[in-house]
Amino acid sequence: MDAVARHLPADERRAVTVETVVELAAEQNPSEITTAAIATRMGLTQGALFRHFPTKDAIWRAVMDWVAERLMARVDRAANSAASPLGALEAIFMAHVAFIAEHPGVPRMIFGELQRPGDSATRRMVKALLERYRDRLRALIEQGRASGELDPGVDPDQAALLFVGSIQGLVMQSLVAGDVQQVRRDAAGAFATLCRGIGRKA
């Protein structure tokens, strides 16, 4: 990446910077990633890096924009490919898990950002992403209730919270195990258990 990064147009340089941060976050504590480390990985000087991002926070905001854009695009594609609300929920669950397995630095950055005290632009971006994601889930859960595919007594807010929490739990377990691919192996069973809680009762 470093030989290429030195000769990229500005927009592509910014995109490569974001991808570099995501890669570094998979290898080390995201809070310890320095602009020097980013520049070194890209084969640049810090001065060259700061020509595209005035501060480290600006880099972090660009990373969160990248995460939100790609995760929600994947979620939307997954939902739109399904034939029913429950099928869409399963497709979203598996697509989200696949995204995490492909980009293990992303949950580490998000968890780290949410643990920081106080408020920041990046933290607000994470919260906005989570709310947008839950809105998508709530709409599908409402559709599932209306169609009779899901239990009509299910609370959409709580079901969406449980959905997101299930994925977060899988991620935490994979981080504890030091094996990010564990999230893929456990996903089907976790979703099946979730379905028993929200599915239509006999």
Side-chain angles (χ1 to χ4, degrees):
M1 182 182 292
D2 56 351
V4 175
R6 283 193 289 266
H7 306 289
L8 291 176
D11 287 348
E12 291 182 39
R13 174 76 61 79
R14 284 189 285 269
V16 171
T17 303
V18 167
E19 292 168 6
T20 299
V21 173
V22 173
E23 290 173 5
L24 287 169
E27 301 167 8
Q28 65 185 87
N29 184 338
S31 67
E32 297 175 359
I33 297 174
T34 63
T35 53
I38 298 167
T40 297
R41 174 66 68 93
M42 295 177 68
L44 303 173
T45 65
Q46 286 192 73
L49 187 62
F50 284 128
R51 281 198 291 274
H52 300 283
F53 295 96
T55 64
K56 183 178 177 181
D57 281 345
I59 297 174
W60 253 238
R61 289 195 298 273
V63 171
M64 288 305 155
D65 272 337
W66 182 94
V67 170
E69 177 184 333
R70 280 158 181 76
L71 177 59
M72 292 308 300
R74 189 172 292 202
V75 162
D76 287 339
R77 283 196 304 271
N80 293 337
S81 71
S84 70
L86 186 58
L89 289 170
E90 181 176 13
I92 289 172
F93 196 96
M94 297 307 171
H96 190 159
V97 164
F99 182 82
I100 290 165
E102 293 163 20
H103 305 291
V106 167
R108 295 180 66 170
M109 293 187 70
I110 289 176
F111 287 149
E113 192 61 37
L114 292 176
Q115 290 176 35
R116 288 175 57 183
D119 195 17
S120 69
T122 310
R123 183 184 178 90
R124 290 192 296 273
M125 292 172 73
V126 172
K127 291 171 68 176
L129 169 60
L130 289 173
E131 188 56 36
R132 182 179 167 197
Y133 189 103
R134 286 194 294 264
D135 283 345
R136 189 74 163 98
L137 297 175
R138 282 190 288 261
L140 286 169
I141 293 162
E142 290 280 15
Q143 292 171 25
R145 291 173 63 197
S147 69
E149 191 175 23
L150 299 181
D151 182 351
V154 165
D155 182 319
D157 289 326
Q158 292 301 314
L161 184 65
L162 183 61
F163 184 106
V164 174
S166 296
I167 295 176
Q168 290 172 337
L170 291 177
V171 172
M172 290 301 297
Q173 291 299 317
S174 70
L175 293 177
V176 169
D179 177 11
V180 72
Q181 297 307 316
Q182 179 178 311
V183 73
R184 286 187 190 268
R185 296 192 295 272
D186 293 343
F191 186 78
T193 301
L194 175 65
C195 282
R196 284 194 286 273
I198 67 173
R200 183 174 55 194
K201 301 299 184 283

